[in-house]
Amino acid sequence: MFVLCTVVIFIMQAFIFVPLEVTGNSMSPTLEEHDFVVVENISRVKRFDIIVFHAPDGNTYVKRVIGLPGDRISYKKDSLYINNQLIDEPFLKDIKKKKNEYVLTADFDTSELLGVKTIPKDQYFVMGDNRRVSKDSRSFGTISSYSIIGKARLVYYPIQDMKIIKN
């Protein structure tokens, strides 16, 4: 019985629930540096999910999915437009209140930034919530679906900051 439990725990940790420490402050205040999160890798990626992935530069990052395959993304006057429709980003409301003295997200369009009108098949456009300091798809381009490790689901350490990660 002990061996069976050990094998099940090993499989769950290795393939379904992966622990990870957040480094850097690009996802602040949603996730802080040295938060430990549980990453699950069995559900489909959706817009505004927080994911962990291997970037083209070889580093592992935690970012929020902004654009899906086929989307055209643009920011105008600190507002997100997807396929020319204004999209609310409720997770940025507190950040924008605190930092109202400047623009959080500079204007851009995927066609100018990436050289393609829409995000290619099996690619995602990701950004950090702390937009002014985030190294993300604006600097390294879209990320492949194959580079995604999984979705960040739960902060489990520090204990006082334990929470379920919401989109």
Side-chain angles (χ1 to χ4, degrees):
M1 184 65 161
F2 175 75
V3 173
L4 178 62
C5 288
T6 304
V7 169
V8 169
I9 289 170
F10 174 76
I11 289 171
M12 287 183 68
Q13 184 177 4
F15 299 107
I16 300 172
F17 299 109
V18 181
L20 176 88
E21 180 180 7
V22 175
T23 56
N25 58 0
S26 70
M27 283 302 295
S28 178
T30 308
L31 298 174
E32 299 293 345
E33 185 165 29
H34 304 302
D35 278 352
F36 283 79
V37 298
V38 173
V39 177
E40 65 86 4
N41 57 10
I42 56 175
S43 60
R44 200 184 85 203
V45 174
K46 298 181 301 239
R47 186 178 328 282
F48 299 145
D49 282 345
I50 296 174
I51 62 169
V52 178
F53 60 93
H54 299 295
D57 65 7
N59 291 312
T60 300
Y61 291 100
V62 179
K63 304 290 180 196
R64 189 177 298 274
V65 174
I66 302 297
L68 304 173
D71 284 347
R72 180 177 183 169
I73 305 294
S74 62
Y75 271 87
K76 298 173 189 164
K77 297 182 181 175
D78 217 10
S79 295
L80 170 63
Y81 291 84
I82 298 176
N83 304 321
N84 297 318
Q85 291 188 321
L86 179 63
I87 304 294
D88 186 37
E89 295 178 284
F91 46 87
L92 294 181
K93 281 186 177 33
D94 290 339
I95 301 168
K96 286 183 176 183
K97 280 182 202 171
K98 292 178 186 172
K99 299 182 179 190
N100 62 3
E101 70 275 6
Y102 57 80
V103 172
L104 186 63
T105 309
D107 291 357
F108 72 85
D109 185 276
T110 48
S111 60
E112 299 163 359
L113 190 66
L114 304 173
V116 293
K117 190 172 184 173
T118 61
I119 297 169
K121 181 181 177 185
D122 295 324
Q123 298 287 311
Y124 294 87
F125 193 92
V126 296
M127 296 175 74
D129 288 357
N130 192 357
R131 303 285 168 82
R132 293 180 60 90
V133 301
S134 179
K135 184 175 181 182
D136 50 38
S137 286
R138 294 171 293 175
S139 57
F140 53 68
T142 58
I143 60 147
S144 164
S145 60
Y146 303 108
S147 67
I148 297 172
I149 298 167
K151 294 184 196 182
R153 292 296 197 173
L154 170 77
V155 174
Y156 67 91
Y157 186 83
I159 301 284
Q160 68 270 17
D161 295 333
M162 187 180 291
K163 65 182 175 183
I164 294 175
I165 298 170
K166 299 177 184 171
N167 299 342

